[in-house]
Amino acid sequence: MLRHYLTVTVRNLLKHKLIAGINLFGLTTGLTCCLLILAYILHETSYDRRVPEAERIYRVTRDFYNPDGAATLQLSAVAPVVGPLLKNDFPQIEKITRLLLFSPVVVRHADRILTEDSLMFSEPAFLDMFAVRMLSGDARTALSEPNSLILEQSAARKYFGDQDPMNQELKLDGRIACKVTGVYQGLPENSHLHPAVLVSFSTLNDSTVYGERNLRTSWSNNAFHTYLQLPAGYDARQLEAQFPAFLDRHQPQNKRATDYVRPSKMTALQLQRLTDVHLHSNRADELEPNGDVNRVYIFGIIALFVLLIACINYMNLSTARAALRAKEVGVRKVVGAQRSEIILQFLGESVLITAVATGLAVGCTVLALPWLSRLAGTALPPQLLWQPAVLLGLLVLPLVVGVVSGLYPALFMSSFQPQQILKGFTKISGGLAFRRVLVVVQFVVSIGLLVSTAVVGLQLRYLRQAPLGYDRAQIVTLAYPLPLRPQYEAFGQALQQQAGVQALARSSRIPTGRLLDASDAAAGIGDSLRPTSANVKYLGIDEGFLPTYGIKLAAGRNFDPKAFPTDTLGFILNATAVRMIGWKSPAEAVGQAFRYGGVLGRVLGVTQDYHFESLHQPIVPMVMFLSSATSRSSYNYVSVKLAGGNVAGSLQHLERTWKEFLPDEPFTYTFLDESYAKLYQAELRQTLLFSIFAGIAILIACLGLFGLSSFAITQRVKEIGIRKVLGASTSTIVMLLSSDFMKLVLVAALLAFPLSWYVMHRWLQDFAYRINMPWWVFPLAGLAAAGVALATIVSQTVSVARANPVKSLRTE
Amino acid sequence: MIKITNLEKTYRTEDVETTVLHELNLQVQEGEFVAVMGPSGCGKSTLLNILGLLDDPDAGSFVFDGKETVGYSERRRAELRKHAIGFVFQSFNLIDELTVYENVELPLVYTGVPAAERKQRVKEVLDKMRIMHRRNHYPQQLSGGQQQRVAVARAVVNRPRLILADEPTGNLDSSNGNEVMDLLSELNEQGTTIVMVTHSEHDARYSHRIVRMLDGQTVAENILT
Ligand SMILES: Nc1ncnc2c1ncn2[C@@H]1O[C@H](COP(=O)(O)OP(=O)(O)OP(=O)(O)O)[C@@H](O)[C@H]1O
Ligand SMILES: [Mg+2]
């Protein structure tokens, strides 16, 4: 019986190669997309799950609130005091560890000077909680002593090559000498942090490094990533509920505040599951850029769409072909086949085809994964898919997809009445309505994907080209290391001797980064100095900053400390700050008293608004001031504006000058343009992948339409012949055949427009700066879909319509 | 073997009702060879479809082997059909994707005959129909006469007790037609009951009895000897 069905299936496929090919290609491509996306989703959801007790480990995070209760800052790390106090107050906490990122930092071994991007101070418990595997050294003791450190394998190679690193010395930041006490295997790729060097936490006790007192008392340096482990089955919310009381108990009152405000009104601690960090956390100062659960959903939905379209093709083409197999069904029934046997036969057929497609898809997936890894910017090894659940899924998949796509054709065909078919009723008109619905669904999805791709692309182009209020072209940023501080003037003069260097500036942060530092502000409005409720962020800049970045002043003047030494007490605000503080215009603000972080001075100038942060963030009120002994800010970066033209030459000059002034500091530079591009890299990648998968979906839908229309045309060859004999022209025949499909595309467009408008409207809400919904995209997507459909149909119709009618009539 | 009383059959389409069979009575004994004749459109094929349990009458009774079949489920009808009844059509109705051998094997597949026995029986009947040498050909590669011999082979391979033939020679020239008629007579002599619809007086003479129909009723019977 089985062999019998197999032969019939194979012969049927061979006889209708075009349709079989479209079905197989569509299912294979659809399943390949699904498997690729599955690999991506599995990877994204696998983060930190290899940690043995992952389910019991939590990260402590901290929020800050405005007086009105809105969260102003959400941090992924907390102050150093929090960890030990928690452990002390809550005995249910089994283990706790703190990490302090200390990077980028210059690390020196003998004459080798390198920059380390991922060096962390770590308590010994980290090794145990994150199951770090030691390759040499002892996990229990390696991080106990001050001034000891352990290296990740690749870091060990980087500093020591083939030498044994054990007991060798490394010097951090030119001052902290540490002994290597171990080498460990790097954390897996799907981990939310990848420390390359772990330095013993006790090293921080030294007051020249950080200081034991600070560790014990600081509530404000929220830079310590703190993880804790709870007992199995313990509800973390129970512990979280006790945090407000914990804060009120321990955190001292803000000295500058006039009235007593409970600390728990201004700040809060939370517990975040370790396994939620990668997909569900997007806080300031994350150790590494995280993923985004929405992206996982979006790709999951696309995968289902592609598969749906491929299944619809199968249903459509099989049902359309039913007429050709009507006689077979009739004869089978006459010789005694039960309806159930016929249903099983056709279901078996579609399961078989899906099984073949699944096999091919697995092969294609393995071949395409390296390509997807490159596009997605993450390693996606095929091993991701070799797990029992997925393999079982691969066995069940043909059954599910086969039954879903084969059920309708099977039910439809098995319902044929033999006495009618055998009498010569070859025109099977049933199923047509259903096929129309399916075609409409395919086009709704295709048009929706077209619209989304276009809107996403336009928004990204807008982000890349939006006026930022500053000029980022040809700006190179460098570190501002300690040894440069005393000789900066001379360094600047040496640089500017060359024509290639136009301007340079120092600042505490650089555009494309975040603005996270804030302090209390009070502004002179009328005669009184009133505290502002606006959360004003600060930026330390020197007098070169505004000209280097081409930032325009709306009122007042730039700093000029040489001419006016009191400018060290001056402030420059941005226009948003002026507006939020309550001054009517920038001009009105200039000259007014302003107090920030305890320093009282005057407003010297107001800049026009510029997008310091990415366009995901709204422009925040900001204040800029010179770094000086009295201010809390110090410079961390040097920005150099190069002239157009010989950029390579200017860079060489830059490096020569650097080496001359700073022989012990590594020369590393970044083009601001690159940092800027990085801000939108995730979206760019997402768009690219999105467009590719959307394109594949549309391609499969068009192939289906191609098969369907070619079939409709063969069915109507005789009708076309008769019409031609009666005098119809080629164009009227093309119209006749395509108008059917065009109506369906129209219906699909009308359904797709509101759906995709809604989805894209929601997506755009995520951007602080966004395009208006481009209405013209909708008709354009509709026209494109109609155009492709029309081209598909016309390409087949014309030859039939042009053919000599006598020929087509003779085929009967 | 067959006893039909007051059979009614009406086709309803959207706007017209056609009564095809009306108060039709017919009996066929075990081992008989009956020819049904009548003008085009009088309901011969409809009658045959009802006899073959492919179609349901609207009223009346159809007793097959002493059992009333009216009201049988689709399932039981298919069951009875595959064990007891074989069909031969004017237009052969072979499955194009199957070879001669596979077409003939088909009824045995559905009755669940084991493979070895299937092979034996298909070979036997193909030999008998003198078409064994063409067993691996596809229907399109055969002449009309050969195709009809395959169709007959398929109808008898299950050793049915009743063969229903609807104009089996309608698409054949006279020499091929005679060959098929000889085959049917031979089967009848070996004990198979046959009901055959035909327009040809020549073919009808192979039967024992001619039933003449007009407007959905039997109007005359000629007993031949
Ligand atoms: N499915 C149907 N729907 C409506 N009317 C039908 C249907 N099938 C048959 N008829 C009508 O029933 C009548 C009898 O048809 P039937 O096929 O039994 O005739 P017949 O005697 O076999 O004719 P012929 O000798 O031409 O084969 C005809 O008038 C036909 O139009
Ligand atoms: Mg007839």
Side-chain angles (χ1 to χ4, degrees):
Chain A
M1 190 78 122
L2 209 63
R3 230 194 67 206
H4 166 78
Y5 286 148
L6 215 67
T7 12
V8 178
T9 305
V10 170
R11 288 195 196 137
N12 245 304
L13 292 180
L14 292 179
K15 195 162 161 195
H16 305 282
K17 288 196 189 70
L18 175 70
I19 286 183
I22 291 176
N23 270 337
L24 209 56
F25 176 84
L27 283 172
T28 305
T29 323
L31 287 169
T32 305
C33 288
C34 280
L35 286 176
L36 286 174
I37 290 174
L38 180 69
Y40 167 78
I41 291 177
L42 284 175
H43 175 261
E44 287 294 296
T45 50
S46 72
Y47 269 71
D48 296 305
R49 287 188 197 268
R50 261 187 267 178
V51 174
E53 306 293 351
E55 297 301 329
R56 294 160 54 192
I57 296 179
Y58 295 81
R59 184 167 78 170
V60 187
T61 60
R62 188 170 188 187
D63 286 358
F64 286 88
Y65 303 112
N66 267 346
D68 63 8
T72 53
L73 193 57
Q74 301 190 307
L75 297 174
S76 61
V78 296
V81 295
V82 173
L85 285 175
L86 282 176
K87 180 92 173 85
N88 178 62
D89 285 19
F90 304 105
Q92 59 267 49
I93 296 174
E94 291 177 348
K95 294 171 190 166
I96 198 156
T97 188
R98 288 172 292 175
L99 290 177
L100 175 66
L101 182 68
F102 190 64
S103 283
V105 62
V106 176
V107 176
R108 183 170 182 162
H109 169 62
D111 54 352
R112 190 173 295 196
I113 305 167
L114 293 159
T115 309
E116 192 53 71
D117 285 324
S118 188
L119 181 141
M120 298 179 197
F121 288 95
S122 160
E123 290 183 296
F126 175 79
L127 302 180
D128 173 34
M129 287 170 72
F130 284 79
V132 176
R133 202 164 79 81
M134 299 297 288
L135 300 172
S136 55
D138 184 347
R140 278 163 305 178
T141 57
L143 290 179
S144 355
E145 296 300 314
N147 295 74
S148 47
L149 61 76
I150 58 178
L151 295 167
E152 189 200 70
Q153 245 171 330
S154 59
R157 235 184 342 265
K158 175 167 134 188
Y159 292 108
F160 299 102
D162 295 335
Q163 285 174 4
D164 180 13
M166 289 300 277
N167 296 317
Q168 302 263 28
E169 195 187 84
L170 288 177
K171 192 169 248 173
L172 318 179
D173 202 23
R175 56 201 170 103
I176 313 167
C178 291
K179 194 173 79 176
V180 179
T181 53
V183 176
Y184 62 94
Q185 190 169 30
L187 269 66
E189 204 266 337
N190 53 357
S191 164
H192 80 281
L193 77 175
H194 298 93
V197 181
L198 288 170
V199 185
S200 62
F201 203 79
S202 47
T203 314
L204 290 172
N205 285 332
D206 184 341
S207 61
T208 62
V209 182
Y210 186 71
E212 187 268 340
R213 210 184 98 81
N214 283 335
L215 283 178
R216 236 173 346 99
T217 57
S218 171
W219 277 91
S220 56
N221 185 10
N222 293 292
F224 290 76
H225 286 85
T226 304
Y227 301 82
L228 53 83
Q229 184 173 323
L230 293 174
Y234 186 87
D235 183 6
R237 270 167 305 178
Q238 220 175 310
L239 181 59
E240 226 172 14
Q242 305 179 51
F243 284 169
F246 168 85
L247 285 170
D248 293 340
R249 197 157 57 233
H250 292 290
Q251 189 175 345
Q253 203 196 333
N254 186 344
K255 285 185 209 81
R256 279 193 302 273
T258 40
D259 318 312
Y260 176 73
V261 186
R262 270 186 293 134
S264 60
K265 283 259 174 234
M266 291 153 38
T267 177
L269 298 174
Q270 301 87 18
L271 291 178
Q272 185 177 49
R273 278 178 187 285
L274 176 64
T275 47
D276 279 351
V277 170
H278 180 67
L279 286 181
H280 297 273
S281 180
N282 184 19
R283 293 176 161 261
D285 286 335
E286 293 277 358
L287 286 170
E288 288 177 19
N290 283 331
D292 179 357
V293 74
N294 287 326
R295 220 176 301 158
V296 170
Y297 291 142
I298 288 176
F299 281 113
I301 289 169
I302 291 198
L304 289 182
F305 274 163
V306 175
L307 193 59
L308 176 74
I309 287 183
C311 285
I312 287 181
N313 270 355
Y314 187 87
M315 289 189 227
N316 263 340
L317 295 177
S318 308
T319 322
R321 219 182 45 186
L324 297 180
R325 297 186 71 175
K327 189 169 103 180
E328 181 190 334
V329 174
V331 171
R332 284 179 189 279
K333 282 198 166 179
V334 164
V335 302
Q338 299 283 359
R339 183 167 185 202
S340 55
E341 288 171 302
I342 309 249
I343 292 179
L344 276 181
Q345 179 193 345
F346 286 118
L347 277 186
E349 224 166 76
S350 64
V351 169
L352 178 79
I353 292 175
T354 322
V356 172
T358 308
L360 291 174
V362 169
C364 294
T365 304
V366 170
L367 292 179
L369 266 176
W371 163 84
L372 182 69
S373 308
R374 263 198 313 282
L375 278 186
T378 36
L380 299 170
Q383 285 80 350
L384 275 170
L385 294 169
W386 307 153
Q387 41 178 293
V390 177
L391 294 178
L392 190 71
L394 284 177
L395 288 181
V396 179
L397 191 73
L399 273 179
V400 175
V401 174
V403 168
V404 165
S405 50
L407 195 60
Y408 180 76
L411 288 176
F412 175 63
M413 287 199 252
S414 66
S415 69
F416 294 163
Q417 291 299 313
Q419 78 273 17
Q420 298 192 354
I421 297 164
L422 299 180
K423 212 156 110 192
F425 271 7
T426 48
K427 276 257 156 40
I428 305 292
S429 53
L432 196 62
F434 183 71
R435 285 207 305 272
R436 290 202 168 123
V437 171
L438 292 183
V439 170
V440 168
V441 171
Q442 280 188 320
F443 271 95
V444 168
V445 173
S446 302
I447 294 173
L449 288 175
L450 275 177
V451 168
S452 322
T453 312
V455 172
V456 170
L458 286 169
Q459 169 67 13
L460 284 185
R461 199 188 60 171
Y462 170 77
L463 289 187
R464 280 200 306 276
Q465 299 179 353
L468 297 174
Y470 70 87
D471 182 9
R472 65 172 194 271
Q474 323 266 28
I475 287 186
V476 171
T477 57
L478 311 163
Y480 184 58
L482 272 179
L484 184 56
R485 296 179 190 199
Q487 29 177 358
Y488 179 74
E489 291 286 314
F491 175 72
Q493 276 162 16
L495 274 185
Q496 283 182 303
Q497 267 160 19
Q498 221 230 12
V501 174
Q502 290 187 337
L504 76 167
R506 292 168 294 176
S507 55
S508 59
R509 291 176 181 260
I510 40 178
T512 71
R514 297 295 310 275
L515 273 176
L516 296 171
D517 322 293
S519 198
D520 307 317
I525 299 180
D527 294 334
S528 63
L529 198 62
R530 266 188 265 155
T532 66
S533 59
N535 186 263
V536 183
K537 311 280 181 181
Y538 74 77
L539 174 70
I541 60 172
D542 69 5
E543 65 276 19
F545 187 82
L546 298 183
T548 302
Y549 280 95
I551 296 166
K552 293 195 181 60
L553 284 162
R557 62 169 176 86
N558 188 10
F559 297 119
D560 191 356
K562 284 194 196 83
F564 309 98
T566 54
D567 275 6
T568 49
L569 294 178
F571 296 101
I572 293 180
L573 299 172
N574 69 351
T576 297
V578 166
R579 202 174 52 248
M580 288 181 68
I581 286 167
W583 284 305
K584 302 225 164 39
S585 68
E588 190 186 307
V590 173
Q592 296 290 342
F594 191 73
R595 191 183 69 198
Y596 193 80
V599 176
L600 183 63
R602 300 226 159 253
V603 177
L604 295 181
V606 176
T607 68
Q608 290 178 356
D609 275 335
Y610 63 98
H611 290 277
F612 191 93
E613 298 178 289
S614 90
L615 290 160
H616 292 119
Q617 320 288 338
I619 290 180
V620 295
M622 64 190 284
V623 57
M624 290 149 272
F625 46 77
L626 295 168
S627 166
S628 68
T630 49
S631 79
R632 301 206 299 166
S633 174
S634 62
Y635 301 136
N636 301 310
Y637 297 94
V638 177
S639 308
V640 182
K641 170 94 178 169
L642 303 179
N646 186 8
V647 173
S650 307
L651 276 177
Q652 269 172 20
H653 170 63
L654 202 57
E655 179 166 10
R656 256 196 323 274
T657 317
W658 180 278
K659 284 259 131 77
E660 184 185 315
F661 280 81
L662 303 159
D664 287 348
E665 297 292 331
F667 175 73
T668 36
Y669 65 91
T670 314
F671 274 100
L672 196 66
D673 262 337
E674 286 168 16
S675 317
Y676 187 77
K678 267 202 197 119
L679 291 178
Y680 308 106
Q681 200 175 29
E683 269 112 359
L684 264 179
R685 282 191 171 136
Q686 192 183 340
T687 321
L688 186 64
L689 286 177
F690 190 85
S691 326
I692 288 172
F693 287 119
I696 290 175
I698 295 166
L699 173 77
I700 300 177
C702 282
L703 271 178
L705 191 69
F706 182 81
L708 210 55
S709 56
S710 89
F711 182 80
I713 288 162
T714 20
Q715 285 279 82
R716 294 171 80 170
V717 165
K718 188 175 166 194
E719 178 195 336
I720 295 169
I722 295 170
R723 282 177 190 274
K724 280 204 84 171
V725 170
L726 296 178
S729 69
T730 302
S731 60
T732 51
I733 287 173
V734 170
M735 282 266 272
L736 173 82
L737 291 174
S738 42
S739 66
D740 251 11
F741 286 106
M742 286 301 114
K743 274 183 221 143
L744 299 183
V745 175
L746 187 71
V747 172
L750 292 179
L751 287 173
F753 290 167
L755 281 175
S756 46
W757 183 90
Y758 176 73
V759 173
M760 291 328 289
H761 178 74
R762 290 285 303 273
W763 183 78
L764 283 174
Q765 299 305 310
D766 270 0
F767 293 87
Y769 298 91
R770 53 182 177 258
I771 51 173
N772 292 322
M773 186 67 79
W775 62 268
W776 52 267
V777 161
F778 292 86
L780 202 67
L783 280 179
V788 172
L790 196 65
T792 310
I793 297 162
V794 168
S795 66
Q796 297 176 75
T797 316
V798 168
S799 61
V800 177
R802 279 219 193 108
N804 184 347
V806 179
K807 242 187 232 162
S808 64
L809 287 178
R810 217 183 274 146
T811 60
E812 277 296 291
Chain B
M1 185 184 211
I2 293 170
K3 185 164 189 284
I4 278 176
T5 20
N6 288 332
L7 205 67
E8 296 283 334
K9 178 74 189 176
T10 307
Y11 286 114
R12 283 175 198 85
T13 53
E14 276 147 28
D15 34 43
V16 287
E17 271 193 17
T18 336
T19 299
V20 183
L21 301 179
H22 180 61
E23 291 182 4
L24 183 130
N25 296 294
L26 176 70
Q27 287 201 21
V28 178
Q29 305 302 323
E30 185 96 51
E32 255 196 303
F33 188 159
V34 177
V36 179
M37 298 189 74
S40 188
C42 71
K44 304 181 296 291
S45 297
T46 307
L47 172 64
L48 219 56
N49 285 338
I50 292 175
L51 289 180
L53 298 164
L54 291 173
D55 212 348
D56 238 355
D58 294 318
S61 125
F62 169 22
V63 175
F64 186 88
D65 265 350
K67 284 185 208 91
E68 179 59 65
T69 66
V70 174
Y72 264 23
S73 69
E74 174 82 45
R75 197 176 175 80
R76 286 194 61 186
R77 288 199 276 157
E79 206 52 44
L80 187 57
R81 190 157 67 226
K82 76 179 171 192
H83 288 292
I85 306 171
F87 288 85
V88 180
F89 301 93
Q90 174 179 356
S91 53
F92 322 135
N93 282 329
L94 300 173
I95 297 180
D96 301 330
E97 285 78 24
L98 298 181
T99 61
V100 165
Y101 181 92
E102 289 160 344
N103 262 292
V104 175
E105 190 189 26
L106 198 59
L108 297 176
V109 169
Y110 282 113
T111 37
V113 174
E117 190 187 338
R118 252 176 11 224
K119 203 164 165 185
Q120 173 67 29
R121 274 166 66 174
V122 174
K123 192 174 132 25
E124 227 168 70
V125 56
L126 285 178
D127 273 337
K128 202 152 112 193
M129 300 296 146
R130 298 183 304 280
I131 198 83
M132 189 61 188
H133 59 295
R134 294 294 186 110
R135 66 180 177 283
N136 289 327
H137 289 217
Y138 287 92
Q140 286 97 330
Q141 299 167 321
L142 303 181
S143 73
Q146 287 168 329
Q147 287 193 42
Q148 196 60 305
R149 292 214 301 270
V150 175
V152 173
R154 188 180 64 191
V156 302
V157 70
N158 239 347
R159 299 179 188 147
R161 302 197 347 268
L162 172 65
I163 288 183
L164 300 171
D166 196 345
E167 298 179 39
T169 60
N171 282 359
L172 302 177
D173 62 29
S174 60
S175 83
N176 271 320
N178 286 339
E179 206 171 343
V180 169
M181 288 314 299
D182 286 336
L183 274 173
L184 288 177
S185 296
E186 208 175 305
L187 286 167
N188 177 246
E189 274 152 30
Q190 288 157 10
T192 316
T193 314
I194 296 178
V195 178
M196 173 182 77
V197 169
T198 183
H199 281 289
S200 136
E201 295 285 346
H202 168 80
D203 289 356
R205 271 197 285 278
Y206 283 83
S207 71
H208 304 157
R209 178 156 69 104
I210 301 175
V211 175
R212 295 197 187 270
M213 284 180 67
L214 192 63
D215 283 344
Q217 281 185 311
T218 51
V219 291
E221 296 198 8
N222 308 30
I223 313 282
L224 308 168
T225 37

